[in-house]
């Protein structure tokens, strides 16, 4: 009887082993299927179940499953789980030299620097030329010192923007940097299913705006057709803010779908459906993490396509009116056999990116490119606390100052969720900020600004929607700045930059006269009832002299006007003499007399109210004409204001071709000056 029980027990145990083994195989097959289509979270869950169902005595099999687990955990940033899985593979003696390299790289991310160094030394014993192992060992040895040394950076987590899931890749927008776009997998994201890649909801683009007190409001999903049930992330805006490039990850249960870059255009206040951007004819590679250069001429992106240095590389492609063309790899000065990701630009042109292949503190570290003493370029590690043992990436800057936002998965209790942080580095920076607007009118966002410095600087700057522009300035340099806009006269300013001990903003105004309407000359004063110019008029008249010198091909009508009081003949005579007095001043200061036509209109051309004046005087409307009949219907106080508006001196552009043709009507040409230096906006670092 006892023997019978023993046999029966053995049979039951064998059956259980077979059932367990069979269950492990089922989970392995499911895991491999998920892995093949890139669903790494789901694959990791299946491999975990297969591992638990595999008997401990099957050491080799357990080690092989542990390696598959580790690969999945590595890809979803579950570093602590990845370390445990790699160590299981080592324990079961299924580890290769590449396993020790991967283990060392994951140990950097968990901050176990001594253990990481041991793994890298083991790799270098067998592969002494392995770049990743060399840089990994340097990271393990240097990271503690970097953390102890610190830097001028300050970093603060932005809980108002963050959720309980992943929030990353911020992008500031708006003329005052009061809008922020970012990627999030929070519950408000579109779609109902969880991503097989991350185990969370698919990512969407969210946006937040600042309130009147400068505080961020609650983030909301971007309106319009931009977000879908699939993954959308890593937004990048063109300089004019009208086009957004994103990473889009479509999924399919049957075959892999690679990440792609898509383009969305803004219509009114909403963003349209994103359409795929064809960067190359290669359909078997991933394209992600777009960034647009400050001049809008290049689209930078990340890809694993052939021709790179290994892993993910940063590439760029030229943006033209006809689409994209001419893909370039940034080369070994930037890219490594590891992963280079999340390119971005500081508005002054500095190039930022993240890498896990260069010496760093663990995971992805932030780096930037700067010029070296020989005129070349070098890669700079900004140190701690901008960088940490986790992944640090996705820089966006608040103007030209070294401050803004980035993302990191540091200090997130091992969950690997990315969060948005604010950073600031109190550099001493001098900036020139200018405002381009129509004289007596509104901002001119379509204007262009040319900035030339006596150090060889030669730049073309775009103007923002509020008519402003901003550019860093170097001490000891004198800059000439010319603002231009079609249909308007040019305006020039000159400024010399001195050494300072704190950051300074130099503000300049660029009022451009509209050539289609009369332009008011403010602060022109005459003696009472006479045509004699008062001395305090000189400043305004000298500016008019400068304007005419800056625009040498124009002729103008210089007109003087009176209010309706007094006889018509008297007013016309007085206004004619006053206009002639202004013209005489201009001629005395070097303006050719045949460029000036003095006219006294008296009271015959009353003021026509423009929109900006209607906003200043809310009892007036745009296009109101200040005739005697109109004025006399107003209260006494308002009547006097209208009379003041009528008593004015103006100029109107008559021709824009003065001095351009000879006596026979042929265009006079002048030799073109040799171009000294190409626009710095077109010349980022030569990668």
């Amino acid at each position: 009887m006892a023997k019978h029980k023993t046999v029966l027990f053995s049979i039951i145990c064998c059956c259980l082993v077979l059932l367990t083994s069979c269950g492990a195989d089922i989970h392995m097959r499911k895991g491999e299927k998920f892995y093949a289509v890139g669903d790494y979270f789901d694959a990791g869950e299946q491999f975990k179940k297969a591992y638990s169902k595999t008997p401990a005595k099957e050491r080799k099999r357990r080690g092989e499953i542990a390696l598959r687990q580790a690969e999945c955990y590595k890809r979803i940033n579950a570093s602590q789980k990845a370390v445990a899985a790699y160590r299981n593979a080592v324990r079961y003696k299924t580890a290769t030299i590449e396993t020790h390299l991967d283990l060392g790289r994951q140990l950097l991310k968990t901050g176990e620097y001594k253990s990481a160094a041991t793994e890298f030394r083991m790799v270098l014993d067998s592969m002494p030329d392995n770049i990743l192992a060399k840089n990994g060992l340097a990271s393990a040895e240097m990271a503690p010192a970097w953390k102890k040394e610190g830097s001028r950076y300050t970093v603060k987590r932005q809980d108002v923007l963050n959720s309980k899931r992943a929030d990353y890749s911020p992008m500031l927008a708006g003329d005052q940097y009061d809008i922020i776009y970012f990627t999030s997998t929070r519950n408000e994201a579109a779609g109902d299913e969880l991503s097989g890649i991350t185990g969370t909801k698919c990512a969407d683009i969210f946006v937040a705006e600042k309130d009147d007190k400068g505080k961020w409001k609650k983030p909301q999903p971007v309106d319009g057709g931009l977000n879908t049930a699939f993954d959308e992330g890593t937004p990048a805006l063109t300089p004019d803010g009208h086009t957004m490039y994103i990473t889009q990850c479509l999924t399919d249960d049957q075959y892999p779908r690679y990440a792609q870059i898509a383009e969305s255009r803004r219509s009114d206040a909403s963003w349209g459906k994103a359409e795929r951007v064809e960067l190359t004819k290669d359909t078997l590679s991933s394209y992600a993490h777009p960034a647009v250069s400050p001049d809008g001429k290049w689209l930078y992106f990340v890809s694993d396509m052939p021709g790179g240095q290994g892993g993910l590389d940063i590439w760029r492609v030229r943006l033209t009116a006809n689409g994209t063309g001419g893909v370039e790899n940034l080369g070994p000065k930037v890219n490594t056999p590891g992963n280079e990701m999340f390119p971005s630009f500081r508005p002054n042109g500095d190039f930022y990116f993240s890498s896990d292949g260069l010496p760093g503190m663990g995971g992805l570290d932030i780096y930037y490119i700067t010029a070296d003493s020989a005129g070349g370029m070098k890669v700079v590690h900004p140190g701690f606390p901008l960088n940490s043992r986790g992944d640090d990436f996705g820089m966006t800057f608040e103007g030209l100052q070294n401050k803004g936002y980035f993302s990191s998965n540091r200090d997130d209790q091992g969950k690997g969720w990315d969060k948005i942080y604010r950073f600031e580095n109190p550099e001493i920076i001098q900036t020139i900020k200018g405002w381009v607007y129509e004289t007596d009118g509104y901002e001119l966002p379509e204007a262009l600004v040319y900035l030339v410095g006596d150090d060889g600087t030669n730049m073309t700057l775009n103007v923002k929607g509020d008519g402003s522009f901003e550019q860093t300035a170097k001490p000891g340099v004198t800059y000439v700045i010319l603002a231009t806009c079609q249909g308007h006269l040019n305006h020039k300013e000159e400024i010399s930059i001195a050494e300072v001990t704190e950051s300074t903003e130099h503000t300049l105004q660029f009022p451009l006269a509209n050539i289609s309407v009369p332009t008011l000359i403010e602060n022109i004063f005459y003696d009472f009832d006479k045509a004699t110019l008062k001395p305090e008029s000189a400043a305004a008249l000298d500016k008019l002299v400068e304007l005419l010198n800056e625009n040498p091909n124009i002729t103008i009508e210089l007109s003087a006007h009176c209010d309706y009081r007094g006889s018509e003949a008297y007013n016309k005579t007085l206004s004619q003499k006053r206009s002639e007095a202004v013209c005489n001043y201009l001629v005395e200061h070097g303006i050719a007399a045949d460029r000036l036509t003095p006219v006294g209109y008296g009271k015959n051309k009353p003021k026509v109210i423009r929109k900006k004046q209607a906003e200043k005087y809310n009892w007036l409307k745009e296009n109101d004409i200040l005739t005697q009949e109109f004025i006399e219907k107003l209260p006494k106080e308002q009547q006097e204001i209208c009379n003041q508006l009528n008593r004015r001196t103006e100029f109107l552009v008559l021709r824009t071709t003065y001095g351009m043709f000879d006596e026979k009507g042929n265009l006079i040409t002048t030799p073109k000056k040799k171009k000294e230096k190409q626009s710095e906006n077109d010349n980022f670092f030569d990668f």
Side-chain angles (χ1 to χ4, degrees):
M1 187 69 179
K3 182 178 181 181
H4 176 72
K5 288 182 178 180
T6 302
V7 172
L8 181 61
F9 179 77
S10 298
I11 293 172
I12 293 173
C13 288
C14 288
C15 290
L16 289 173
V17 169
L18 289 172
L19 288 171
T20 302
S21 177
C22 181
D25 289 341
I26 291 173
H27 290 301
M28 283 300 296
R29 286 196 295 271
K30 288 183 178 179
E32 295 295 353
K33 183 178 180 180
F34 284 131
Y35 193 93
V37 296
D39 289 344
Y40 302 117
F41 179 85
D42 289 345
E45 290 296 296
Q46 293 299 321
F47 292 144
K48 179 181 178 181
K49 292 177 181 179
Y51 184 86
S52 65
K53 289 181 178 293
T54 301
K57 65 180 182 180
E58 295 185 24
R59 298 178 63 82
K60 181 179 179 181
R61 180 62 171 160
R62 271 206 153 197
E64 291 170 347
I65 298 173
L67 280 177
R68 301 302 283 157
Q69 282 182 278
E71 286 297 310
C72 294
Y73 295 145
K74 177 180 72 174
R75 290 177 178 270
I76 63 174
N77 284 329
S79 298
Q80 291 181 346
K81 291 182 178 180
V83 167
Y86 279 126
R87 281 175 168 164
N88 281 337
V90 172
R91 180 160 60 96
Y92 288 121
K93 302 188 183 304
T94 55
T96 64
I97 197 66
E98 286 78 15
T99 303
H100 288 283
L101 177 60
D102 287 336
L103 173 56
R105 287 162 63 80
Q106 292 299 308
L107 287 167
L108 288 179
K109 296 184 70 171
T110 61
E112 299 175 68
Y113 295 124
K114 290 184 178 180
S115 297
T118 300
E119 299 297 326
F120 292 129
R121 291 190 184 100
M122 185 183 304
V123 174
L124 290 172
D125 285 343
S126 301
M127 305 170 66
D129 296 326
N130 188 288
I131 295 175
L132 292 180
K134 286 182 177 180
N135 287 344
L137 180 58
S139 299
E141 293 174 343
M142 296 166 62
W146 273 331
K147 187 171 183 179
K148 183 178 181 181
E149 180 180 352
S151 69
R152 290 171 58 86
Y153 282 92
T154 57
V155 168
K156 185 177 181 181
R157 183 163 154 166
Q158 300 296 288
D159 289 335
V160 67
L161 299 175
N162 293 316
S163 66
K164 294 181 179 180
R165 291 293 183 260
D167 303 281
Y168 58 96
S169 290
M171 166 60 64
L172 284 166
D175 295 328
Q176 304 302 320
Y177 308 101
D178 52 359
I179 301 171
I180 190 167
Y181 295 95
F182 61 94
T183 312
S184 181
T185 61
R186 64 187 63 196
N187 291 333
E188 292 84 357
D192 298 322
E193 297 184 2
L194 298 182
S195 168
I197 302 173
T198 62
T200 66
K201 294 196 73 172
C202 290
D204 273 351
I205 308 295
F206 282 72
V207 62
E209 298 184 13
K210 286 186 176 180
D211 60 22
D212 295 338
K213 297 181 179 179
K215 303 294 184 182
W216 290 114
K217 300 178 184 178
K218 182 180 178 181
Q220 301 293 333
V222 170
D223 290 335
L226 179 64
N227 290 320
T228 70
F230 298 108
D231 277 298
E232 287 85 25
T234 62
L237 294 172
T238 53
D240 62 9
H242 293 158
T243 302
M244 180 186 291
Y245 293 95
I246 63 170
T247 303
Q248 192 174 60
C249 299
L250 307 178
T251 59
D252 192 288
D253 292 337
Q254 303 302 317
Y255 61 94
R257 295 295 296 268
Y258 302 99
Q260 63 185 27
I261 290 176
E263 175 186 42
S264 172
R265 297 188 182 276
R266 188 172 64 184
S267 176
D268 296 327
S270 62
W271 292 94
K273 180 182 178 182
E275 301 291 341
R276 175 177 172 267
V277 178
E278 185 177 276
L279 300 173
T280 72
K281 299 297 183 182
D282 180 358
T283 60
L284 298 178
S285 298
S286 292
Y287 304 88
H289 305 171
V292 182
S293 60
D295 62 1
K297 295 181 179 180
W298 292 92
L299 177 66
Y300 287 69
F301 63 95
V302 170
S303 180
D304 59 356
M305 63 182 169
Q309 308 300 315
L312 294 170
D313 273 18
I314 299 177
W315 303 68
R316 71 176 184 175
V317 64
R318 188 174 288 278
L319 294 173
T320 70
N322 298 320
T324 61
V327 173
E328 301 176 7
N329 185 278
L330 296 198
K333 293 181 180 179
V334 171
N335 294 313
T336 71
N339 297 304
E340 281 65 49
M341 308 164 74
F342 299 99
S344 63
F345 284 92
R346 191 170 166 183
N348 66 0
D350 288 350
F351 180 69
Y352 283 72
F353 65 100
S354 291
S355 173
D356 65 5
L358 294 168
M361 297 189 68
L364 291 169
D365 269 26
I366 294 168
Y367 301 83
Y368 67 91
I369 305 295
T370 189
D372 60 24
S373 56
M377 54 165 277
K378 62 180 179 179
V379 177
V380 177
H381 184 277
F384 179 84
L386 189 65
N387 287 311
S388 69
R389 70 184 188 186
D391 292 323
D392 306 292
F393 60 96
M395 301 283 282
T396 184
F397 291 86
E398 190 177 310
L400 295 171
Q401 300 293 324
N402 198 351
K403 61 182 180 181
Y405 299 84
F406 73 109
S407 36
S408 176
N409 59 18
R410 66 184 70 185
D411 301 329
D412 200 44
Q413 293 80 47
K415 297 176 182 178
W417 301 126
D418 301 311
K419 301 299 176 188
I420 295 174
Y421 290 76
R422 179 171 175 79
F423 73 89
E424 184 168 358
N425 184 340
E427 297 176 344
I428 297 177
I429 298 175
Q430 294 199 68
T431 59
I432 298 172
K433 186 165 187 176
W435 303 87
V436 186
Y437 55 93
E438 184 177 307
T439 305
D440 200 29
Y442 290 88
E443 61 273 358
L444 295 170
E446 64 274 21
L448 284 178
V449 174
Y450 300 92
L451 183 146
V452 178
D454 59 10
D455 64 337
T457 298
N458 191 339
M459 307 180 72
T460 302
L461 307 177
N462 291 310
V463 172
K464 299 177 185 177
D466 64 350
S468 70
F469 67 89
E470 195 173 16
Q471 181 59 41
T472 53
K474 301 175 184 176
V477 178
T478 296
Y479 296 94
V480 175
I481 307 159
L482 179 70
T484 67
C485 186
Q486 186 174 7
H488 297 77
L489 300 183
N490 299 334
H491 182 80
K492 182 172 66 176
E493 293 285 344
E494 183 174 313
I495 184 171
S496 296
I497 307 300
E499 292 281 355
V500 295
T501 56
E502 60 183 21
S503 293
T504 304
E505 182 179 88
H506 306 276
T507 303
L508 300 173
Q509 303 289 330
F510 293 83
L512 305 189
N514 190 323
I515 64 174
S516 302
V517 297
T519 298
L520 177 69
I521 309 173
E522 295 187 288
N523 300 318
I524 300 295
F525 306 102
Y526 306 92
D527 287 340
F528 178 71
D529 210 23
K530 295 181 181 179
T532 307
L533 287 165
K534 289 189 173 184
E536 52 264 40
S537 302
L541 292 171
D542 289 343
K543 286 185 178 180
L544 183 56
V545 171
E546 290 180 13
L547 179 68
L548 291 167
N549 286 329
E550 291 166 4
N551 299 271
N553 300 121
I554 68 167
T555 64
I556 64 170
E557 175 190 276
L558 200 295
S559 61
H561 303 261
C562 300
D563 58 37
Y564 65 82
R565 293 173 292 194
S567 70
E568 181 176 346
Y570 177 82
N571 281 338
K572 195 164 186 179
T573 300
L574 178 61
S575 61
Q576 180 67 33
K577 290 180 178 179
R578 286 181 170 180
S579 65
E580 291 173 355
V582 173
C583 288
N584 291 337
Y585 184 97
L586 300 178
V587 171
E588 290 170 4
H589 287 76
I591 304 301
D594 59 349
R595 296 179 63 191
L596 310 171
T597 302
V599 179
Y601 284 104
K603 61 180 180 181
N604 292 335
K605 278 197 173 183
K607 178 75 173 178
V608 178
I609 296 300
R610 300 186 67 186
K611 184 177 179 180
K612 195 167 185 180
Q613 290 163 330
E615 290 179 354
K616 182 177 180 181
Y617 305 109
N618 57 16
W619 41 274
L620 292 173
K621 298 191 299 294
E622 186 178 10
N623 296 321
D624 278 347
I625 302 175
L626 303 186
T627 63
Q628 180 176 352
E629 181 182 7
F630 178 90
I631 294 173
E632 288 179 340
K633 293 178 181 179
L634 299 174
K636 290 294 185 182
E637 183 178 340
Q638 294 176 2
Q639 286 186 26
E640 181 53 34
I641 292 174
C642 289
N643 286 328
Q644 290 175 4
L645 292 174
N646 271 334
R647 297 192 298 268
R648 66 199 189 277
T649 303
E650 297 175 331
F651 72 85
L652 177 67
V653 176
L654 300 177
R655 290 171 52 203
T656 59
T657 58
Y658 176 83
M660 294 177 63
F661 298 91
D662 61 20
E663 295 177 354
K664 297 180 179 180
N666 298 317
L667 181 66
I668 299 173
T669 59
T670 55
K672 291 184 178 180
K673 293 183 179 180
K674 185 178 179 181
K675 194 172 184 180
E676 295 181 358
K677 183 178 180 181
Q678 189 176 4
S679 168
E680 289 186 10
N681 275 3
D682 294 340
N683 277 315
F684 300 108
F685 292 100
D686 182 7
F687 295 106

